[in-house]
Every structure is written in structure tokens, then in C-alpha cells.
Amino acid sequence: MKKKKINLRDLEPKKQQGEHSHDDGHNHSSPEEISNFRTYLPAIFSFVMLIAGIAIDYFDAFPFFKGWIRVVWYTVAYIPVGFPVIREGWKSIKNGDFFTEFFLMSIATLGAFAIGEYPEGVAVMLFYAVGELFQNAAVNRAKGNIKALLDVRPNEALVYRDGDFVSVNPETVEIGEKIQVRVGEKVPLDGILLSEKGSFNTAALTGESKPDTIAKGNTVFAGSINLDGVIEIETTKEFKDSSIARILDMVQNATAKKSKTELFIRKFARIYTPIVVFLAIGLTFLPYFFVDDYVFRDWLYRALIFLVISCPCALVISIPLGYFGGLGAASRNGILFKGASFLDAMTQVNTVVMDKTGTVTKGVFKIKEINSITFEEAEFMKYLMAMEEQSTHPIAKAILEYKADGSDYEATDVSEVAGKGLKGTVNGKTVLVGNKALMTSNGIEVPSETDGIVESIVMVSIDGNFAGYVTIADELKDDAHQAIKQIRDSGISKIIMLSGDKDSITQQVAKELNIDWAKGGLLPEDKLNEVEELKKQPETKVAFIGDGINDAPVLAASGVGIAMGGLGSDVAIETADVIIQTDQPSKIARAIKIGRSTRRIVWQNIGLAFGVKVIVLILGAGGLATMWEAVFADVGVALLAILNAVRLQRMSW
């Protein structure tokens, strides 16, 4: 059964409709309140007419309110809410789709008019229209997060051409061109910061309200808002390939990837609706052959009640809205699901497998321990830093971040000993910096305490004597411990770490984080084999968390692939099913909770809709329910289901 949105403003003149449409992209000539009032005006008019008509009927206030006057009154009340529905039903029939909810509503309400039940006919259509308005408001609210993402799509770029900065469409800017971004403007394309530093608001991209300060030479993402001073950026990607463009495309397409529950309900509605129509026809005519006191009008009324009750609005509206709410809530929390099917898949995960570097660690070397034997720490570090200034190794960069008081030393005659380290002269002293092999090959005795160190270690000898060592380690993310605890608290039975780093380091990190099982020294294909083995175990549903680059094969193969730092990784956006935008592993447990909350609300709605409908269907077929109960069973349940689905947007996890 097709679900199509009805706009109650369709009855307005075209000019007004254009002026007050919220989605036409033009400036509104009237305030938003007036536009909202126009949206609800047909329903308000019908409601006032209906209540007035019922009051006149009940109190018999006007003797002339009978016959054709009464028919005209209720017809005028019916048209504002009924005409758009009848028109949509007619369009559907012309397109070959007979059995839509518009068809059911039209037949039921026109039938009520035919047998003289005018108030019921107006009421059914009025409450259906109110349900549509509620649905539209709920969907618009759910779309709020995605609209916020769409709003960060920049529409112009100041690019340096022919000696001046000129404003152009971002899609025309090529890789390697220099662009300028002023204070308060959005960065139009991904690029490298040429200015000394910049402060950016990345809230629409990551959900983080704290400004992000970026230094010269680092990457700036399209969609960030420049907060401080005019900056210049060298573009590294075309507009269509920028991270924000890819994410926007992914989010916009997410709702197209339906969950199995949603697909089942849609298929069910297509079969269910025609069955209901034929049952209603049977309920009208078949009793003639079996009932002695058969009255056509009574059985037609029951059949009309049957039609109203059986309309699957509550299911067709509330289930997609539930998943849409889940997707919106996730994006508000810096988590992007590529479709409703992955919200469902997250609820089934019982085994979490994760990479180490970039997932629970920052992927940046830091000094962990300094052990100086013959010199003061600052003096020792000056010798070491003088040597490491000659190196471009990541470990050297970590050592050079150390802040030593006083003037720096300078190294001369520095040479590299292949695979071992550096040799040179500092302050007239011979200095060796490197691994244990460098020390032993130069006859320098190394303390036995260094044998048990699993981290990367830099040893130093000065004038033939062992002077000390520095250990370098990848730093755990601030929320790593919290992340593992929350994943375990969410009911995950097994947490595994697979890493390409040394096994000894992997085991140490796993032990520190209380991870069940870990294995290091793995190539990407080794990780893939490990996950494939896990998947062979019955009842095991695997989610893999990685940085989306070397982990791409495993992300694709696992039940749910979760990429950290999706803004910086094209492969993550392409391969993963879920992207943690803020690079925080603690968001993984939140993604699981959002998936479970969404599924719980969807099934609550299914149970509510079926339960109430079955009860009132039985009562209606037996003549114990009137059109008013039918209205509650259809529109009332739909409204309750919508309100239940909207709860997702107010939840916190």
C-alpha cells in the first residue's frame, strides 16, 4: 500500500501555497505563525462545523436544521478535509493502485453519508486529517538533524585566481587551489590549513559544541564554521568528494535502506488492504443468506466501520517514523547509521571486535616514562632531543614534544646506523640513541630491567656509558575505559581486540582495558580470517570497530561495521555501516542503546495497533462498535503510535 503525504493546503490558491511553503527555498512574505495557521485552517474549520452540527442535533436548538440544510452543513464541514483525500485516492486509482488508505477512507466516509450518518463521516475524515498533520509535524521534527546537516553544505567559495580572491560555486574549485574563509563563514571544501592556526565550530559534523583548534598543515573539513580571523586553505578534494558531501549523501539515502520489519509491514499492507475491502463487501451482503431479519443499512454500516478500523495507518505511519526517529537521534549524538536495517542489526550484536590503534588509542606516540641514570632528567633529555632533531621518525617527534628548561644542545656528525638508531656528537660527547642492538654492538651494558618493557623504548649512551632510556607508547583515548565498561553493561557478552601492532603491546592494552581476548601482529587479511571464524560460531553476531582504512575488509565482512573518525576517512564512509563522527569509542554503546530503543518502540507500536484493531474489528462485525470506536481504533491508535515514536527524539542515552 502506498503511503503518500497529504497537504491540507492543497485547497489554497496556488499563489498562497507558494508563498507559504516551508520547503520552497524562498523568503516567506508572512511570519511562520501565519503559515502554520494556514496549514491547520481546513481542519480547524471542519472541527468547528462538526461540533456546531452535533450540538444543534443534540439540543435540537434549531427546528429547521433538518433535511437538505443538515446535509449541506455536514457536506461543507466534510469538504476541507475530505476533498484532498478523495483526490489522492482518485490519483492512485488512475495509477493502477486501488487499495490505498485514501480509497478506504473515501469509501467509508462517503458510505456513511449515503446512509445518513453525516457526523460520523465528517469525524472519520477530520481525525484522519489531524493524524496526517501530526505525522507531518513528527516527521519534520525527526528530519531536523538531517536538515541541520544539509544547512552546512557551503554554497560559495572565495578562491584565489588572477591575483585576487573571487566568489565562485564550490563545485568549480579544483584540487590544489587556495581558498579564503572569513569569520563566521563555512569552509566550502576539504583542505590543508595554510594559516598559522584556526578555530572551527564542527558541531553540525560531529555533534561536539566545543570549538576545534587546528594548526597549520592540518586538515580542515568542509562544513566547519570559521570562528576566528580570516584563514586560507589549500584544497585537497573536489566538492563532490568532500567528507561533508559524502556524509550528506549517506544520510539522505539512509531512510531508503529499510529494516526487515518495515519492509514486512509494507508488503503486509499491500496484501491486507484488498482482503479487508472484500471482507467488508462480504460483511454487507453475505448475511442476507444467513440472517432472518437482514437489514441492508445495518450491515452496510458495520462494513463501513470494518473499513475504517482496518485501515493500517498506525502501522504504515509509525514504523517508518520510529526508524526515522532513531536515525535522527543517532545523528544528533554524532552517530551516523547508513540505514534503518543497521539500527536493527545493532540490537542483535553480542560480540564486539575492535582494532587498537585509532579506535581505543589516539594513534599518536607520547612519552610514557623517562628513566635517566647518570644525568638530571632535563639534561638527559637535551642530549636525546639534540640527536632526535636529525630524525623524521614518529618516535622522534614524540620525544621532541618534551619541554626542557634552558638553551637547547646541538648535535654534530650525526649518522644513522641502519635498523638500530643514531650516532653523533653533542657537547663534545659521543652519543648513541636507539635500540638494544645498537647498545650491545657498541659494547654497552644494558640493565636487565629493560627486558620486560613492551612499549617502544629509546636507549641512550653518553661517552660509552648507559645514560638511561625513554619509553614511548600510543596514548589511550580519554573515554577508552568508560567505552569498554559501557559496552559490557549494554549486554555484550564478548569483547575482542585484533591489532596490527606488536602482540605484547596489544596484550598490555587489552589487559588495561579488561578486554576478554586479544591478538596482535595481524595483517588486514589476518583480522578478516579471525572475524570469519567468529561468524561460524552459532548465535554469534559480530560488530567490528576500526579506523576504516586498513580495516576496510573486516568492516565490510562483519555483521555491523563501525568506523571511527569517519570525517577523516573516505574508506570508512564507503565501507562501514555505522560511523562514529566524534572519534569517541564510548559512542559505540550509545549506538547499541539507540538501536534497541528504536526496535522496542517499533514493536510497541505494532502490538498496540494490532491489539486494538482486532478487538474493535470483532466488536464492529458484531454490531457492538459504532463509527466513533472505529475512529479511535484507526486514527486514535495512529496518533498514540506517532507520539510513542516521537519519544525517541526526547530520549537520552
Side-chain angles (χ1 to χ4, degrees):
M1 191 187 84
K2 286 188 178 176
K3 174 70 189 157
K4 187 173 179 181
K5 187 191 294 183
I6 294 179
N7 190 340
L8 291 175
R9 288 177 290 164
D10 285 345
L11 293 176
E12 299 174 25
K14 289 294 181 185
K15 184 178 178 183
Q16 288 179 331
Q17 190 176 344
E19 284 173 357
H20 298 287
S21 172
H22 279 261
D23 298 317
D24 58 9
H26 295 79
N27 291 328
H28 301 284
S29 56
S30 302
E32 188 176 338
E33 290 79 7
I34 295 176
S35 180
N36 285 337
F37 179 73
R38 286 185 181 277
T39 303
Y40 291 96
L41 187 58
I44 293 170
F45 176 81
S46 291
F47 177 74
V48 171
M49 291 285 289
L50 174 64
I51 294 299
I54 291 173
I56 294 170
D57 278 339
Y58 184 78
F59 294 108
D60 199 16
F62 301 106
F64 62 83
F65 192 70
K66 291 181 174 65
W68 67 269
I69 294 177
R70 186 169 181 264
V71 174
V72 170
W73 182 278
Y74 283 115
T75 302
V76 171
Y78 178 84
I79 288 173
V81 289
F83 179 73
V85 177
I86 294 170
R87 185 174 61 182
E88 290 298 334
W90 177 246
K91 284 181 182 177
S92 298
I93 290 171
K94 287 200 296 184
N95 292 330
D97 193 5
F98 282 81
F99 299 107
T100 63
E101 65 193 63
F102 311 123
F103 177 75
L104 288 182
M105 284 296 168
S106 300
I107 294 297
T109 53
L110 292 174
F113 265 72
I115 61 173
E117 300 290 349
Y118 311 121
E120 284 94 333
V122 176
V124 169
M125 198 59 88
L126 171 63
F127 286 115
Y128 177 74
V130 171
E132 284 287 316
L133 291 171
F134 265 73
Q135 178 203 355
N136 294 347
V139 169
N140 288 337
R141 186 179 178 88
K143 284 182 176 177
N145 297 96
I146 294 172
K147 284 185 177 178
L149 269 175
L150 293 172
D151 287 342
V152 305
R153 186 192 291 273
N155 50 24
E156 68 171 354
L158 286 175
V159 62
Y160 189 75
R161 291 175 182 170
D162 300 324
D164 196 12
F165 285 99
V166 293
S167 178
V168 300
N169 188 313
E171 294 181 12
T172 65
V173 179
E174 297 179 0
I175 295 172
E177 289 197 281
K178 182 164 69 174
I179 58 174
Q180 185 183 78
V181 185
R182 297 166 184 161
V183 178
E185 291 182 349
K186 297 165 190 165
V187 177
L189 298 104
D190 290 0
I192 301 295
L193 185 63
L194 299 176
S195 305
E196 284 303 313
K197 67 174 183 177
S199 182
F200 300 91
N201 179 350
T202 60
L205 305 179
T206 63
E208 290 294 311
S209 56
K210 183 180 176 183
D212 188 12
T213 300
I214 295 175
K216 182 178 181 178
N218 288 326
T219 302
V220 182
F221 295 109
S224 305
I225 298 173
N226 180 25
L227 299 177
D228 186 20
V230 178
I231 59 164
E232 293 181 358
I233 296 169
E234 181 182 320
T235 60
T236 55
K237 291 180 184 174
E238 294 180 359
F239 182 75
K240 63 182 175 64
D241 295 325
S242 64
S243 296
I244 184 63
R246 304 277 287 279
I247 288 173
L248 288 174
D249 181 62
M250 184 196 77
V251 174
Q252 286 176 292
N253 291 328
T255 50
K257 296 181 179 178
K258 308 295 182 187
S259 70
K260 288 181 180 178
T261 309
E262 194 172 348
L263 290 172
F264 167 75
I265 290 298
R266 286 179 180 274
K267 290 176 182 175
F268 171 77
R270 285 193 169 278
I271 300 168
Y272 163 87
T273 308
I275 291 174
V276 161
V277 171
F278 290 117
L279 284 175
I281 294 170
L283 187 60
T284 306
F285 296 107
L286 288 178
Y288 174 79
F289 300 101
F290 305 103
V291 177
D292 293 334
D293 55 345
Y294 174 79
V295 178
F296 173 77
R297 186 186 180 282
D298 292 345
W299 287 100
L300 176 60
Y301 184 68
R302 293 184 187 186
L304 296 176
I305 292 170
F306 191 85
L307 281 178
V308 174
I309 298 167
S310 60
C311 181
C313 301
L315 296 171
V316 177
I317 291 171
S318 64
I319 291 172
L321 184 61
Y323 284 111
F324 209 103
L327 293 170
S331 67
R332 191 171 63 249
N333 282 274
I335 304 162
L336 290 180
F337 283 85
K338 282 191 177 178
S341 57
F342 302 115
L343 275 167
D344 269 355
M346 279 299 269
T347 66
Q348 299 165 8
V349 169
N350 54 26
T351 302
V352 168
V353 183
M354 62 180 64
D355 181 36
K356 178 183 73 68
T357 308
T359 302
V360 293
T361 68
K362 294 179 178 178
V364 178
F365 284 115
K366 293 283 184 184
I367 295 174
K368 186 174 182 181
E369 181 186 0
I370 299 172
N371 192 328
S372 175
I373 297 172
T374 56
F375 291 86
E376 291 292 327
E377 182 181 300
E379 180 81 0
F380 168 76
M381 288 302 295
K382 284 183 181 181
Y383 277 99
L384 174 56
M385 290 164 69
M387 293 291 291
E388 292 290 13
E389 280 180 352
Q390 311 298 314
S391 173
T392 58
H393 195 279
I395 287 179
K397 292 180 181 178
I399 290 170
L400 292 173
E401 286 183 5
Y402 182 87
K403 305 298 181 187
D405 297 332
S407 59
D408 294 335
Y409 293 163
E410 187 175 344
T412 58
D413 302 326
V414 177
S415 60
E416 183 176 349
V417 182
K420 296 180 181 179
L422 301 171
K423 182 177 183 179
T425 304
V426 180
N427 282 354
K429 301 181 190 301
T430 301
V431 179
L432 297 173
V433 172
N435 55 25
K436 186 175 182 179
L438 179 65
M439 300 293 125
T440 54
S441 63
N442 283 273
I444 294 161
E445 189 175 345
V446 177
S448 58
E449 67 184 75
T450 61
D451 295 338
I453 295 172
V454 297
E455 296 94 350
S456 299
I457 183 168
V458 179
M459 300 181 180
V460 182
S461 82
I462 301 175
D463 277 347
N465 296 311
F466 188 82
Y469 61 87
V470 174
T471 58
I472 307 291
D474 192 358
E475 192 177 7
L476 283 175
K477 288 184 178 178
D478 298 335
D479 62 340
H481 286 92
Q482 176 193 358
I484 301 302
K485 182 181 183 301
Q486 288 179 346
I487 291 171
R488 209 175 287 284
D489 290 346
S490 68
I492 301 300
S493 59
K494 188 182 293 184
I495 304 175
I496 295 169
M497 179 178 286
L498 301 176
S499 176
D501 205 347
K502 288 194 302 185
D503 188 57
S504 56
I505 294 174
T506 304
Q507 297 297 340
Q508 185 188 43
V509 171
K511 185 177 179 181
E512 186 175 348
L513 291 175
N514 192 29
I515 287 172
D516 299 320
W517 186 76
K519 191 172 184 179
L522 300 173
L523 295 171
E525 55 265 35
D526 298 327
K527 293 182 184 179
L528 181 60
N529 291 336
E530 293 287 346
V531 168
E532 291 291 356
E533 285 299 316
L534 281 170
K535 286 167 65 179
K536 290 178 183 176
Q537 298 174 14
E539 305 301 320
T540 299
K541 302 293 182 184
V542 179
F544 183 86
I545 309 146
D547 61 11
I549 300 170
N550 61 334
D551 297 318
V554 205
L555 285 168
S558 51
V560 181
I562 305 172
M564 304 297 298
L567 285 179
S569 171
D570 292 342
V571 182
I573 295 173
E574 292 293 337
T575 313
D577 307 313
V578 184
I579 295 173
I580 309 295
Q581 291 174 274
T582 56
D583 234 0
Q584 295 172 290
S586 56
K587 293 286 180 75
I588 296 161
R590 191 171 298 177
I592 294 170
K593 290 174 184 175
I594 290 172
R596 288 176 179 169
S597 296
T598 303
R599 189 168 178 80
R600 184 165 58 248
I601 279 179
V602 165
W603 280 102
Q604 284 172 358
N605 286 348
I606 291 172
L608 173 70
F610 274 117
V612 173
K613 282 181 183 293
V614 167
I615 293 169
V616 183
L617 273 173
I618 294 168
L619 294 175
L624 300 175
T626 67
M627 195 72 82
W628 297 105
E629 281 86 2
V631 167
F632 171 74
D634 176 43
V635 181
V637 171
L639 292 179
L640 290 174
I642 289 167
L643 292 172
N644 193 33
V646 168
R647 285 197 304 130
L648 274 170
Q649 295 161 52
R650 296 182 176 272
M651 288 182 181
S652 56
W653 292 272

PDB file of all heavy atoms in Angstrom, residues 240-257:
ATOM      1  N   LYS A 240      32.484  17.460  -4.673  1.00  0.00           N
ATOM      2  CA  LYS A 240      31.675  16.236  -4.668  1.00  0.00           C
ATOM      3  C   LYS A 240      32.307  15.120  -3.848  1.00  0.00           C
ATOM      4  O   LYS A 240      31.628  14.184  -3.432  1.00  0.00           O
ATOM      5  CB  LYS A 240      31.419  15.751  -6.090  1.00  0.00           C
ATOM      6  CG  LYS A 240      32.656  15.342  -6.865  1.00  0.00           C
ATOM      7  CD  LYS A 240      32.310  14.918  -8.288  1.00  0.00           C
ATOM      8  CE  LYS A 240      33.542  14.621  -9.121  1.00  0.00           C
ATOM      9  NZ  LYS A 240      34.323  13.487  -8.649  1.00  0.00           N
ATOM     10  N   ASP A 241      33.630  15.217  -3.611  1.00  0.00           N
ATOM     11  CA  ASP A 241      34.332  14.182  -2.849  1.00  0.00           C
ATOM     12  C   ASP A 241      34.616  14.597  -1.416  1.00  0.00           C
ATOM     13  O   ASP A 241      35.233  13.838  -0.663  1.00  0.00           O
ATOM     14  CB  ASP A 241      35.661  13.832  -3.531  1.00  0.00           C
ATOM     15  CG  ASP A 241      35.453  13.189  -4.890  1.00  0.00           C
ATOM     16  OD1 ASP A 241      34.475  12.439  -5.030  1.00  0.00           O
ATOM     17  OD2 ASP A 241      36.252  13.447  -5.802  1.00  0.00           O
ATOM     18  N   SER A 242      34.203  15.816  -1.042  1.00  0.00           N
ATOM     19  CA  SER A 242      34.494  16.279   0.315  1.00  0.00           C
ATOM     20  C   SER A 242      33.749  15.416   1.324  1.00  0.00           C
ATOM     21  O   SER A 242      32.717  14.822   1.019  1.00  0.00           O
ATOM     22  CB  SER A 242      34.094  17.746   0.485  1.00  0.00           C
ATOM     23  OG  SER A 242      32.703  17.901   0.348  1.00  0.00           O
ATOM     24  N   SER A 243      34.281  15.361   2.529  1.00  0.00           N
ATOM     25  CA  SER A 243      33.697  14.495   3.560  1.00  0.00           C
ATOM     26  C   SER A 243      32.245  14.845   3.833  1.00  0.00           C
ATOM     27  O   SER A 243      31.394  13.968   3.967  1.00  0.00           O
ATOM     28  CB  SER A 243      34.511  14.611   4.852  1.00  0.00           C
ATOM     29  OG  SER A 243      35.816  14.142   4.635  1.00  0.00           O
ATOM     30  N   ILE A 244      31.928  16.143   3.889  1.00  0.00           N
ATOM     31  CA  ILE A 244      30.552  16.528   4.206  1.00  0.00           C
ATOM     32  C   ILE A 244      29.603  16.124   3.086  1.00  0.00           C
ATOM     33  O   ILE A 244      28.492  15.666   3.343  1.00  0.00           O
ATOM     34  CB  ILE A 244      30.460  18.047   4.514  1.00  0.00           C
ATOM     35  CG1 ILE A 244      29.038  18.424   4.930  1.00  0.00           C
ATOM     36  CG2 ILE A 244      30.883  18.885   3.319  1.00  0.00           C
ATOM     37  CD1 ILE A 244      28.568  17.763   6.182  1.00  0.00           C
ATOM     38  N   ALA A 245      30.044  16.256   1.829  1.00  0.00           N
ATOM     39  CA  ALA A 245      29.181  15.867   0.707  1.00  0.00           C
ATOM     40  C   ALA A 245      28.884  14.373   0.750  1.00  0.00           C
ATOM     41  O   ALA A 245      27.757  13.939   0.509  1.00  0.00           O
ATOM     42  CB  ALA A 245      29.839  16.242  -0.617  1.00  0.00           C
ATOM     43  N   ARG A 246      29.901  13.574   1.089  1.00  0.00           N
ATOM     44  CA  ARG A 246      29.716  12.118   1.144  1.00  0.00           C
ATOM     45  C   ARG A 246      28.781  11.746   2.300  1.00  0.00           C
ATOM     46  O   ARG A 246      27.926  10.877   2.160  1.00  0.00           O
ATOM     47  CB  ARG A 246      31.078  11.428   1.335  1.00  0.00           C
ATOM     48  CG  ARG A 246      32.118  11.779   0.295  1.00  0.00           C
ATOM     49  CD  ARG A 246      31.983  10.951  -0.966  1.00  0.00           C
ATOM     50  NE  ARG A 246      32.428   9.597  -0.755  1.00  0.00           N
ATOM     51  CZ  ARG A 246      33.710   9.224  -0.786  1.00  0.00           C
ATOM     52  NH1 ARG A 246      34.663  10.112  -1.017  1.00  0.00           N
ATOM     53  NH2 ARG A 246      34.042   7.966  -0.615  1.00  0.00           N
ATOM     54  N   ILE A 247      28.953  12.411   3.447  1.00  0.00           N
ATOM     55  CA  ILE A 247      28.124  12.114   4.608  1.00  0.00           C
ATOM     56  C   ILE A 247      26.671  12.530   4.348  1.00  0.00           C
ATOM     57  O   ILE A 247      25.732  11.806   4.673  1.00  0.00           O
ATOM     58  CB  ILE A 247      28.681  12.807   5.870  1.00  0.00           C
ATOM     59  CG1 ILE A 247      29.968  12.087   6.311  1.00  0.00           C
ATOM     60  CG2 ILE A 247      27.670  12.805   7.003  1.00  0.00           C
ATOM     61  CD1 ILE A 247      30.689  12.764   7.435  1.00  0.00           C
ATOM     62  N   LEU A 248      26.494  13.704   3.738  1.00  0.00           N
ATOM     63  CA  LEU A 248      25.144  14.158   3.405  1.00  0.00           C
ATOM     64  C   LEU A 248      24.441  13.165   2.496  1.00  0.00           C
ATOM     65  O   LEU A 248      23.273  12.822   2.693  1.00  0.00           O
ATOM     66  CB  LEU A 248      25.199  15.530   2.733  1.00  0.00           C
ATOM     67  CG  LEU A 248      25.558  16.717   3.631  1.00  0.00           C
ATOM     68  CD1 LEU A 248      25.706  17.975   2.797  1.00  0.00           C
ATOM     69  CD2 LEU A 248      24.506  16.917   4.701  1.00  0.00           C
ATOM     70  N   ASP A 249      25.158  12.697   1.498  1.00  0.00           N
ATOM     71  CA  ASP A 249      24.600  11.723   0.570  1.00  0.00           C
ATOM     72  C   ASP A 249      24.206  10.451   1.311  1.00  0.00           C
ATOM     73  O   ASP A 249      23.143   9.871   1.081  1.00  0.00           O
ATOM     74  CB  ASP A 249      25.618  11.413  -0.533  1.00  0.00           C
ATOM     75  CG  ASP A 249      25.072  10.411  -1.547  1.00  0.00           C
ATOM     76  OD1 ASP A 249      24.072  10.736  -2.211  1.00  0.00           O
ATOM     77  OD2 ASP A 249      25.644   9.316  -1.661  1.00  0.00           O
ATOM     78  N   MET A 250      25.062  10.039   2.243  1.00  0.00           N
ATOM     79  CA  MET A 250      24.800   8.829   3.006  1.00  0.00           C
ATOM     80  C   MET A 250      23.563   8.981   3.884  1.00  0.00           C
ATOM     81  O   MET A 250      22.697   8.112   3.933  1.00  0.00           O
ATOM     82  CB  MET A 250      26.010   8.507   3.880  1.00  0.00           C
ATOM     83  CG  MET A 250      25.877   7.214   4.645  1.00  0.00           C
ATOM     84  SD  MET A 250      27.068   7.127   5.977  1.00  0.00           S
ATOM     85  CE  MET A 250      26.303   8.202   7.167  1.00  0.00           C
ATOM     86  N   VAL A 251      23.459  10.133   4.577  1.00  0.00           N
ATOM     87  CA  VAL A 251      22.331  10.348   5.483  1.00  0.00           C
ATOM     88  C   VAL A 251      21.023  10.448   4.707  1.00  0.00           C
ATOM     89  O   VAL A 251      20.001   9.893   5.100  1.00  0.00           O
ATOM     90  CB  VAL A 251      22.563  11.620   6.333  1.00  0.00           C
ATOM     91  CG1 VAL A 251      21.337  11.934   7.163  1.00  0.00           C
ATOM     92  CG2 VAL A 251      23.753  11.423   7.240  1.00  0.00           C
ATOM     93  N   GLN A 252      21.060  11.162   3.573  1.00  0.00           N
ATOM     94  CA  GLN A 252      19.845  11.311   2.775  1.00  0.00           C
ATOM     95  C   GLN A 252      19.355   9.972   2.226  1.00  0.00           C
ATOM     96  O   GLN A 252      18.163   9.759   2.053  1.00  0.00           O
ATOM     97  CB  GLN A 252      20.094  12.291   1.628  1.00  0.00           C
ATOM     98  CG  GLN A 252      20.161  13.741   2.093  1.00  0.00           C
ATOM     99  CD  GLN A 252      20.514  14.670   0.952  1.00  0.00           C
ATOM    100  OE1 GLN A 252      21.623  14.664   0.423  1.00  0.00           O
ATOM    101  NE2 GLN A 252      19.558  15.472   0.542  1.00  0.00           N
ATOM    102  N   ASN A 253      20.281   9.069   1.972  1.00  0.00           N
ATOM    103  CA  ASN A 253      19.905   7.764   1.434  1.00  0.00           C
ATOM    104  C   ASN A 253      19.611   6.736   2.522  1.00  0.00           C
ATOM    105  O   ASN A 253      19.171   5.634   2.225  1.00  0.00           O
ATOM    106  CB  ASN A 253      21.024   7.225   0.529  1.00  0.00           C
ATOM    107  CG  ASN A 253      21.144   8.041  -0.743  1.00  0.00           C
ATOM    108  OD1 ASN A 253      20.157   8.560  -1.234  1.00  0.00           O
ATOM    109  ND2 ASN A 253      22.351   8.177  -1.256  1.00  0.00           N
ATOM    110  N   ALA A 254      19.858   7.111   3.786  1.00  0.00           N
ATOM    111  CA  ALA A 254      19.729   6.135   4.874  1.00  0.00           C
ATOM    112  C   ALA A 254      18.308   5.599   4.986  1.00  0.00           C
ATOM    113  O   ALA A 254      18.102   4.405   5.207  1.00  0.00           O
ATOM    114  CB  ALA A 254      20.155   6.765   6.198  1.00  0.00           C
ATOM    115  N   THR A 255      17.318   6.482   4.830  1.00  0.00           N
ATOM    116  CA  THR A 255      15.931   6.043   5.000  1.00  0.00           C
ATOM    117  C   THR A 255      15.481   5.125   3.869  1.00  0.00           C
ATOM    118  O   THR A 255      14.460   4.458   3.981  1.00  0.00           O
ATOM    119  CB  THR A 255      14.988   7.250   5.078  1.00  0.00           C
ATOM    120  OG1 THR A 255      15.272   8.119   3.984  1.00  0.00           O
ATOM    121  CG2 THR A 255      15.178   8.012   6.372  1.00  0.00           C
ATOM    122  N   ALA A 256      16.216   5.100   2.764  1.00  0.00           N
ATOM    123  CA  ALA A 256      15.863   4.196   1.660  1.00  0.00           C
ATOM    124  C   ALA A 256      16.205   2.751   2.000  1.00  0.00           C
ATOM    125  O   ALA A 256      15.658   1.821   1.419  1.00  0.00           O
ATOM    126  CB  ALA A 256      16.583   4.621   0.386  1.00  0.00           C
ATOM    127  N   LYS A 257      17.136   2.567   2.947  1.00  0.00           N
ATOM    128  CA  LYS A 257      17.539   1.213   3.350  1.00  0.00           C
ATOM    129  C   LYS A 257      16.642   0.776   4.492  1.00  0.00           C
ATOM    130  O   LYS A 257      16.917   1.029   5.652  1.00  0.00           O
ATOM    131  CB  LYS A 257      19.013   1.197   3.756  1.00  0.00           C
ATOM    132  CG  LYS A 257      19.931   1.549   2.590  1.00  0.00           C
ATOM    133  CD  LYS A 257      21.388   1.493   3.000  1.00  0.00           C
ATOM    134  CE  LYS A 257      22.296   1.830   1.827  1.00  0.00           C
ATOM    135  NZ  LYS A 257      23.711   1.843   2.190  1.00  0.00           N
TER     136      LYS A 257
END
